[in-house]
Amino acid sequence: MAQVPNLDNAPINLKSLRDQSQKELITILKNIRGKKCLVIDPKLGGSLSLIVQSSLLKEHGAELRHLNVEPVQTDCTKVVYLVRAQLDLMKFICSHIHNDISKGIQREYFVYFVPRRAVVCEKILEEEKIHHLLTIGEYPLYLIPLDEDVLSFELDAACKEHLVDVDTTSLWHIAKAIHKLEFSFGLIPNVRAKGKASVRVADILNRMQSEEPVNTSEMGVPEINTIILLDREVDMITPMCSQLTYEGLLDEFLGINNGAVELDSSVMGVQHEGKKIKVPLNSSDKLFKETRDQNFEVVVQVLRQKATSMKQDYTEMQTTNQTVSELKDFVKKLNSLPEMTRHINLGQHLTTFTSKPSFLSRLDMEQTLVEAESYDICFEYIEEMIHKQEPLTNVLRLLILFSITNSGLPKKNFDYLRRELLHSYGFEHIATLNNLEKSGLLKKQETKSNWITIKRALRLIVEDTDTANPNDISYVFSGYAPLSIRLVQHAIRSGWRPIEEILKLLPGPHSDTKRGGFSSSPSLGSLNGSLHSSDKVVDGRRSLVLVVFIGGVTAAEISALRFLSSQEGMAYDIIVATTKIVNGSTLTETFVEKLG
């Protein structure tokens, strides 16, 4: 199981949120007396591991199983299903219960929906004539702290659902999660939104406040001063680029899931043939906290320096007489040796990917696309990728970048690449291409691209970026400043108004509202980077901005926000909330759909 992250240094009391979620789950188990078999939806398993240790669930009489098509093997007479409201999972539950009935096994069944029950799911249970055998409840888990400044709604496919399926369920979920936060930390007075989904969430949030109000008079000064809501659709360019921060590259190549990477034990220097091990990655690891947001080429140097320094200390220990305090310092350094070994192994493993010519040529191509140069070279590069049958996700990722920066492809090129893709990867991928077209990520060119105007106006290409001593967020992509974070930077510094014309060139509407009797409190619009004493929370901490990404955020974007927050003259701490932490591949995969 992944390590439960340490939240002691969070800018707001995220630990209380986690404790509350833990308590609610334990209460469910306590209310079902005796031994019980807890059957967990596999997608929820990782999320739960960030909230509660499995040992605590076992202490409360729970045997743990993962839900799948196979019947549950247990001696327990009580079976508790903890599931998301998904139709395929209902079918599993029905088949389990029918199997028990056919074998004459008598059990009590409980179904707890996460985060809330759905009529369509209960209808299936009724049609299968098992609804009357079930006790049905809800486990309202809307938000999971992944780290001290990152929260996740764990909605994997929110981007595709919104853009392709026109399913707005996730938007209600996001608004509900934010409203729950407000009951703990006060009504958020300033709400800025950009994108169709974000403006909709802002509206739902206001409706929730009028129906179930947070008491502003009792709460005092709200701990979160401003919320900035941003659709992923507003900036699909950033996730399609290869991230160049340490954490970003770990996610790109090894895949970070629920705050951990899983890899062969041999990578970590442990000799167990074919055995996989999980390596937790969060702020509890001091060295990871120090290096996660740095450009990877800098991390390699940092690790080298630390290893050299340790070696020198060890040599000095053997050749000179040390005082007690010097010995103490050395032992302290030795304590950090496991962390150092871990990251040297991970860094070395990453280098095997980053030094490949294919990765370096891909970076060149991404840079060419983002700088909107040499259309023909990019077209030929993608054509060659298709003919070589490189992984489909890699091809689509570059194709999306190509389409967005050029506002689509000329009809002749569009039809040609579409045909070549289907010939090369199989006609079952026609559904995938339809999804990308429906979402606007892949389209025929109808108007001239406004990308050049946007990148110039927001200074997205930064020449001579110093990755070792950065002075701009562009260091996370070695010269490209993520569009999404530039927008957040403007929203924090001076609100939407000064960049109104640029916002109109980007997808979706934008809004800027003040809420609930706080119109006299200083908004971010009046800030201009200076800290007002009235913006401080009572105990002297900096006030907070909550940045919400609807459709996913990359690790590199989170690093850029941390960099912003750490800048001199920055008046705010920043917390990120997202539907899911994504990279270009995982985001593209949500649109992939095979027929047959």
Side-chain angles (χ1 to χ4, degrees), residues 218 251 591:
E218 278 179 17
D251 192 32
F591 292 88

Side-chain angles (χ1 to χ4, degrees), residues 85-124:
Q86 302 254 339
L87 302 186
D88 55 336
L89 302 179
M90 296 307 105
K91 287 172 182 162
F92 289 166
I93 293 171
C94 294
S95 92
H96 289 182
I97 294 173
H98 285 313
N99 179 68
D100 284 355
I101 292 168
S102 71
K103 290 181 176 171
I105 299 169
Q106 287 195 329
R107 285 181 175 141
E108 280 181 70
Y109 303 99
F110 302 80
V111 175
Y112 281 87
F113 287 105
V114 183
R116 62 174 184 149
R117 59 209 288 172
V119 173
V120 65
C121 288
E122 293 195 48
K123 209 163 182 56
I124 287 182

